[in-house]
Amino acid sequence: MCTSLTHRLGVRAITAAFGSGSPCQVVPRMGNNGRVTRSTSARAPRLDQVCAAAVEVARDAVTEVGPADVGDHLQVVAEGDRLVTHYFECRLAGYRGWRWAVTVARAPRSRTVTVCETVLLPGPGALLAPGWLPWQERLKPGDLGPGDLLPSPPDDDRLQPGYLLSDDPAVEEVSWELGLGRARVMSREGRGEAAQRWYDGDRGPTAPIAAAAPVAARCGTCGFYLPLAGALRQSFGACGNLYAPDDGQVVSADHGCGAHSEILVEAPETPVEELPTVYDDSAVEAVPVSGAAGSVEVAEVTEPNGQP
């Protein structure tokens, strides 16, 4: 590199630039180059008056609908040099808040405005459809109905081949050998997700019905509690109480309700108030009855035919 500089510039030029020393040993000082360096910023486009005045040209360019579906002119925005976009109100049914956008332009030194494109765009207050999601992400618990099919993908993390050993004794009893048991069983990750979902749901310890139940009325000590098999046995079981709101559902051991088998309702002893005595029939006073004048004796009463 030093030989190339000496060959091109000459000894005098190098000496004048770097001093009397060797050009390979002298490092030039870098000065402040702030005067020659300027920050570049994008210039905002100016609104072209010819294109901005072409409101009717832009309105007539909306040919997808009838003239009645194109409303008032809302605004005009400069997109670039001699390039603007006109916005019109959309009066189509079901498109409240949407706007017709028509972009027009003109050539330099020309007074003729041409239409570039026409499109229907949502405005700030437009009603938009929710973002698209794959069906796997849209599916929610309870969406599967009678006759619906929900296949599990081959790479589902919640499942693993049945012939693989797992840490669940109940699974290994029937699926330790190839060809026996189920083709796939729940993996540790799948069981953990299910347990966390059940525990945080409506049949966990924080459910409103569990919070309102007595402290001792926990499912783990209830006679109607049917523990699950395998690794989930320690924390979950099924409710078998016909009158409980969770009958036939998986509940956590620390869930609870008012239908616990050991709840005994003791009737409080309420004193009975004695009513005041209205009459006393313990003593009977005999009152003689005498026949009044004109009365008929019982023996003298006869039937019309003369029979007594």
Side-chain angles (χ1 to χ4, degrees):
M1 178 177 177
C2 297
T3 305
S4 178
L5 286 174
T6 305
H7 177 72
R8 289 187 299 170
L9 301 178
V11 179
R12 294 182 179 179
I14 294 176
T15 303
F18 296 98
S20 58
S22 173
C24 296
Q25 298 177 355
V26 179
V27 179
R29 296 182 179 179
M30 301 298 295
N32 185 7
N33 58 351
R35 296 182 180 180
V36 297
T37 303
R38 297 180 181 178
S39 60
T40 59
S41 59
R43 179 178 60 87
R46 297 178 58 184
L47 181 63
D48 187 81
Q49 299 300 324
V50 178
C51 294
V55 177
E56 296 303 324
V57 175
R59 182 187 298 273
D60 296 338
V62 184
T63 59
E64 293 85 351
V65 294
D69 296 326
V70 182
D72 300 334
H73 183 263
L74 300 178
Q75 68 176 134
V76 56
V77 178
E79 305 290 352
D81 294 338
R82 298 176 299 277
L83 181 67
V84 302
T85 298
H86 292 271
Y87 291 93
F88 299 91
E89 178 188 4
C90 178
R91 294 180 179 176
L92 287 173
Y95 286 86
R96 184 180 61 181
W98 288 64
R99 305 180 300 178
W100 294 104
V102 182
T103 303
V104 298
R106 69 180 181 90
R109 301 179 183 178
S110 175
R111 310 294 294 183
T112 303
V113 177
T114 57
V115 178
C116 298
E117 64 177 356
T118 302
V119 66
L120 182 62
L121 298 177
L127 180 62
L128 302 178
W132 183 85
L133 291 175
W135 69 270
Q136 297 93 336
E137 300 180 14
R138 296 197 307 267
L139 194 64
K140 297 181 179 179
D143 290 347
L144 190 67
D148 295 338
L149 299 178
L150 182 61
S152 299
D155 56 348
D156 197 329
D157 296 336
R158 301 171 301 173
L159 300 173
Q160 67 181 13
Y163 57 82
L164 295 179
L165 294 179
S166 65
D167 57 352
D168 194 339
V171 176
E172 295 176 358
E173 290 178 0
V174 294
S175 61
W176 64 272
E177 186 176 352
L178 179 62
L180 298 178
R182 294 167 291 174
R184 291 192 295 176
V185 295
M186 289 192 71
S187 61
R188 176 184 294 182
E189 181 178 355
R191 295 195 304 270
E193 291 180 359
Q196 191 65 44
R197 184 173 62 253
W198 296 344
Y199 199 79
D200 296 338
D202 295 336
R203 295 168 185 89
T206 59
I209 190 172
V215 179
R218 301 297 102 181
C219 294
T221 58
C222 181
F224 300 104
Y225 180 74
L226 304 173
L228 296 183
L232 299 179
R233 180 184 181 89
Q234 300 178 358
S235 301
F236 297 96
C239 178
N241 190 345
L242 172 64
Y243 302 102
D246 299 323
D247 179 39
Q249 305 292 336
V250 175
V251 295
S252 64
D254 48 359
H255 183 68
C257 70
H260 195 277
S261 62
E262 307 307 320
I263 288 183
L264 300 177
V265 180
E266 297 180 359
E269 297 182 359
T270 303
V272 179
E273 298 181 0
E274 296 183 0
L275 298 177
T277 303
V278 178
Y279 61 90
D280 186 6
D281 57 354
S282 58
V284 178
E285 180 182 358
V287 179
V289 178
S290 59
S295 61
V296 180
E297 296 293 339
V298 176
E300 298 179 359
V301 177
T302 57
E303 296 294 333
N305 54 6
Q307 299 295 331

